[in-house]
Amino acid sequence: MSNLKLAVAGAGGRMGRAITRVLLNTEGVQLAGGLEAQGSPFVGQDMGELAGTGRIGVRVSDDPLGLLTRVDGIIDFTTPATSVYLAELAAQARIVHVVGTTGFSSEDEKAFEAAARHARIVKAGNMSLGVNLLVALTRKVASLLGDEFDIEIVEMHHRHKVDAPSGTALMLGRAAAEGRGVALDEKAVFCREGHTGPRPNGAIGFATLRGGTVVGEHAVIFAGPEERIELAHRAGSREIFARGAVKAAIWAQDRKPGLYSMMDVLGLADL
């Protein structure tokens, strides 16, 4: 069986370079190309040199249509607009599209659902095994504890992150809401300032911190009468997200067209 040919969107970025390194060290896959926007200084550069592994003879392209017609899948940590566009192309090419981008609108989500009729899309706010296990545990714990336990989600990322709360924090919030059988939109509290009054019963609060070079830290706090339960995950490098994304691409290659999550990839959906 031939190697799975995978391309990397946003090949010149920090996540793109991490994915390149993981692909080069994963059996059964082939790094088949990289993608950047027209005018990017990374276009034409060798992907191995960008990733710090030395020249490999695979260069970054600015032609998404040409690239996606000659690969089996693309791994994408870019921007919402780029990811939606790549999903449309992946649907046309009937290939795998792994999406680690966050910050999508409701209209963007509908576009992914449409593209998934023909593409195999794995989309998650976080691709790491540990975080997805944390999501599953959050859902379970929330289902076992009553409203006397207040739920707070705290996240911290590097100073360059542009969306808040993080996609992972929202994943955790949705998991907590699902565990309690409520809608996150009705229970989420994203901002507190001034005289807020008492904490609403059943609220799911979010706190966002930004600074330095923090890769990603998340904690779910269940604060009850005279006791507190905390579930937490701390990312040491971007390699954990890259490894998860590559695992997702390999998993999706033999699946039917559809919209999947890392819970499906890792077998955690029923935990």
Side-chain angles (χ1 to χ4, degrees), residues 39-60:
S40 167
F42 301 120
V43 173
Q45 292 196 37
D46 186 275
M47 293 184 68
E49 291 184 337
L50 282 175
T53 62
R55 184 179 296 274
I56 58 174
V58 179
R59 297 191 176 278
V60 179

Side-chain angles (χ1 to χ4, degrees), residues 25 36-37 69 83-84 109 130 137 139 142 161 208 215 222 225 235 265:
N25 288 285
E36 279 286 349
T69 57
S83 293
V84 169
E109 299 292 354
L137 291 172
R139 182 185 298 109
K161 187 167 178 61
T208 298
V215 175
F222 296 88
V265 175

Side-chain angles (χ1 to χ4, degrees), residues 144-163:
L144 296 172
L145 299 178
D147 279 355
E148 69 273 17
F149 280 83
D150 299 320
I151 301 176
E152 293 288 318
I153 298 168
V154 182
E155 59 104 341
M156 183 171 185
H157 284 83
H158 54 87
R159 66 194 308 272
H160 299 291
K161 187 167 178 61
V162 297
D163 58 316

Side-chain angles (χ1 to χ4, degrees), residues 134 152-156 172 217-221 230-234:
L134 176 62
E152 293 288 318
I153 298 168
V154 182
E155 59 104 341
M156 183 171 185
L172 293 166
E217 298 183 359
H218 296 85
V220 184
I221 301 169
E230 296 187 16
L231 305 175
H233 179 272
R234 293 175 176 83

Side-chain angles (χ1 to χ4, degrees), residues 8-246:
V8 181
R14 287 170 293 186
M15 268 308 304
R17 298 180 194 209
I19 295 165
T20 294
R21 289 191 292 271
V22 170
L23 284 172
L24 291 174
N25 288 285
T26 302
E27 292 185 4
V29 301
Q30 175 186 342
L31 177 61
L35 186 65
E36 279 286 349
Q38 291 184 356
S40 167
F42 301 120
V43 173
Q45 292 196 37
D46 186 275
M47 293 184 68
E49 291 184 337
L50 282 175
T53 62
R55 184 179 296 274
I56 58 174
V58 179
R59 297 191 176 278
V60 179
S61 169
D62 60 1
D63 177 17
L65 184 59
L67 179 62
L68 267 63
T69 57
R70 56 183 177 84
V71 298
D72 301 310
I74 186 164
I75 300 176
D76 165 22
F77 287 71
T78 55
T79 66
T82 299
S83 293
V84 169
Y85 175 59
L86 291 176
E88 295 171 356
L89 296 184
Q92 295 174 25
R94 268 56 171 183
I95 63 173
V96 172
H97 184 196
V98 177
V99 185
T101 310
T102 59
F104 295 109
S105 68
S106 58
E107 290 301 312
D108 293 336
E109 299 292 354
K110 292 177 182 177
F112 281 111
E113 291 173 6
R117 290 198 289 266
H118 300 292
R120 287 150 285 161
I121 299 176
V122 180
K123 178 174 166 292
N126 194 297
M127 294 283 173
S128 87
L129 169 61
V131 163
N132 282 277
L133 181 58
L134 176 62
V135 170
L137 291 172
T138 296
R139 182 185 298 109
K140 185 65 175 180
V141 173
S143 73
L144 296 172
L145 299 178
D147 279 355
E148 69 273 17
F149 280 83
D150 299 320
I151 301 176
E152 293 288 318
I153 298 168
V154 182
E155 59 104 341
M156 183 171 185
H157 284 83
H158 54 87
R159 66 194 308 272
H160 299 291
K161 187 167 178 61
V162 297
D163 58 316
S166 68
T168 302
L170 293 172
M171 285 173 60
L172 293 166
R174 283 191 290 270
E178 289 168 5
R180 287 207 164 159
V182 298
L184 180 61
D185 290 345
E186 298 174 1
K187 297 295 184 179
V189 176
F190 293 110
C191 181
R192 296 186 179 102
E193 183 180 6
H195 191 279
T196 62
R199 188 185 197 280
N201 188 43
I204 298 175
F206 291 81
T208 298
L209 308 177
R210 294 287 179 267
T213 58
V214 176
V215 175
E217 298 183 359
H218 296 85
V220 184
I221 301 169
F222 296 88
E226 301 179 356
E227 61 179 331
R228 186 171 70 194
I229 300 165
E230 296 187 16
L231 305 175
H233 179 272
R234 293 175 176 83
S237 78
R238 290 177 177 81
E239 304 288 335
I240 65 171
F241 312 126
R243 287 195 294 270
V246 173

